[in-house]
Amino acid sequence: MTEYVTRTRPHPGGARGRGRAVPSRTDSGPDALDGHEAAAILEETRGFVDPVLRAAIDSLPGSMRRISLYHFGWEHADGTPAAGNAGKAIRPALVLAAATALGGPAAGTAALPAAAAVELIHNFTLLHDDVMDRDTTRRHRPTAWTVFGDADAVLAGDALHALALGMLAAHPHPASSAAVARLADCVIELCAGQHSDTALEKRGPAEVTLDEVLAMAEAKTGALLGCACALGALYAGAAGEDVEALDAFGRQAGLAFQLIDDVIGIWGDPRHTGKPAGADLAARKKSLPVIAALGSATPAAVELAELYAAPREQGDDVERMTLAVERAGGREWAQEQAADRMARAVSELARAVPDPEAAGGLLSLAEFVTRRSL
């Protein structure tokens, strides 16, 4: 049996998948793939999932439908059609790839409602998070709350949440009941993670520990990626231990995702992120690189603590904060942690899918989240 290939740092690469009814590849050899592998999987996933999402959203009452279609990028604020960006579809791709890895193409096809439900839940959280965080841009356009108001954006998110659970409950598949329960539990964990996030923001930087932020990140980000993989396993009829291994795989990949996302939140190019440079620092966000830097006991950590303690003003010296985080080792720590979490994810995946060729799609997607462009 071919061994899994692991890397000490996140960088492009992956292995092959199998099947054709859901995201799959036809390249030969484990080194034949590059960053285009995951991109192709995600593009295929959007092709499978978007029609299901559109049909589901079209079933909503008019007001909720309009806000949701705007949020997904399919309509402008005035209701006219738009060819916008509905996101990368990482979570639904994980559902389909997990089902295919464990049950073949037929399982992937059966899991399509679960893939759409996970994407609805993800967007429910985005609508709510944008309101709570007061983020004004998402996917290179104004956030829903800035266009329609706080209350309407929150209600649209609630509608997407209910739509996701209803879609799973109505699906005549043996795994549907377990999938609904698992997704509902995941939403509770997501809410707990968001509550922890908002609570941490009220505390001083010196009062927040790295373990607390890691636990919050697992709940906010890792939980839904783990749930996505677990749902795919459920729809493939996998054994309980394999479902749990896929959940653990997704959680570790999710932590890697969050670590890199936090790096991008500081050093990302606004042309790629759609947000101002250093937006997380200007907001005094206690992201993982920042907390790691603050705990480094270096002169740069002292400088960063002083900058974070200063009142927020227009024209904050974001550049100084950025350099302080880097000099204190926050960026390097986050990148090394992302690589470590990826290695743990691969180890969990090998428990459930020992054949690296069958696991190829999942490997490519997991690696994709740690090698996004700044």
Side-chain angles (χ1 to χ4, degrees):
M1 180 177 68
T2 306
E3 291 184 358
Y4 273 67
V5 177
T6 58
R7 298 175 174 83
T8 57
R9 286 183 178 274
H11 89 53
R16 298 196 280 140
R18 65 187 174 101
R20 187 61 201 159
V22 295
S24 57
R25 300 277 63 80
T26 56
D27 309 76
S28 58
D31 298 320
L33 305 175
D34 56 20
H36 297 295
E37 166 70 5
I41 292 174
L42 294 171
E43 183 179 357
E44 279 190 300
T45 297
R46 286 249 75 105
F48 289 123
V49 173
D50 279 0
V52 181
L53 290 172
R54 290 296 297 264
I57 291 171
D58 283 344
S59 72
L60 291 173
S63 57
M64 298 297 96
R65 181 171 64 248
R66 180 183 174 190
I67 299 165
S68 298
L69 289 171
Y70 172 83
H71 169 75
F72 274 90
W74 294 325
E75 283 189 1
H76 295 295
D78 62 4
T80 56
N85 174 16
K88 295 182 179 67
I90 291 169
R91 292 153 190 84
L94 287 170
V95 175
L96 300 182
T100 302
L102 286 164
T109 301
L112 189 53
V118 166
E119 187 70 348
L120 288 170
I121 290 295
H122 174 53
N123 282 277
F124 138 67
T125 68
L126 296 182
L127 282 162
H128 283 203
D129 284 1
D130 285 343
V131 172
M132 286 182 274
D133 296 341
R134 311 315 287 172
D135 284 337
T136 57
T137 59
R138 181 172 293 283
R139 300 166 184 161
H140 304 276
R141 68 198 312 228
T143 46
W145 72 268
T146 66
V147 176
F148 301 99
D150 289 4
D152 284 354
V154 168
L155 290 169
D158 293 342
L160 295 184
H161 176 201
L163 197 59
L165 295 179
M167 178 183 294
L168 282 185
H171 189 211
H173 189 281
S176 293
S177 178
V180 170
R182 194 167 198 111
L183 190 57
D185 285 345
C186 178
V187 170
I188 293 171
E189 188 173 359
L190 291 170
C191 292
Q194 177 65 11
H195 180 268
S196 295
D197 192 12
T198 56
L200 290 176
E201 290 304 313
K202 297 174 184 176
R203 291 159 54 185
E207 301 170 351
V208 177
T209 69
L210 202 50
D211 285 344
E212 286 179 306
V213 183
L214 282 167
M216 178 270 293
E218 180 176 352
K220 277 196 65 173
T221 304
L224 189 54
L225 268 69
C227 182
C229 295
L231 291 187
L234 284 172
Y235 277 80
E241 58 267 27
D242 291 338
V243 174
E244 297 309 319
L246 263 292
D247 185 279
F249 160 75
R251 283 175 180 271
Q252 292 298 328
L255 277 172
F257 180 102
Q258 188 60 56
L259 284 154
I260 295 302
D261 200 60
D262 283 356
V263 170
I264 291 172
I266 298 174
W267 291 278
D269 186 334
R271 292 172 298 178
H272 297 153
T273 65
K275 296 183 178 182
D280 286 358
L281 296 176
R284 304 297 195 273
K285 187 174 179 180
K286 298 177 183 70
S287 64
L288 285 159
V290 167
I291 298 304
L294 288 169
S296 66
T298 62
V302 174
E303 179 186 5
L304 180 62
E306 292 173 353
L307 290 167
Y308 252 54
R312 302 182 195 183
E313 298 176 0
Q314 190 171 6
D316 267 344
D317 198 342
V318 171
E319 185 175 352
R320 279 185 65 198
M321 287 189 274
T322 302
L323 290 173
V325 176
E326 186 144 15
R327 289 200 307 270
R331 183 174 188 170
E332 182 179 7
W333 175 87
Q335 290 172 324
E336 289 178 348
Q337 276 290 308
D340 178 65
R341 297 294 178 170
M342 266 295 299
R344 297 188 199 187
V346 169
S347 177
E348 294 289 353
L349 180 58
R351 289 171 48 204
V353 191
D355 179 2
E357 183 164 330
L362 288 168
L363 285 169
S364 294
L365 290 168
E367 289 183 348
F368 171 80
V369 303
T370 60
R371 52 173 165 74
R372 289 169 292 154
S373 172
L374 293 179

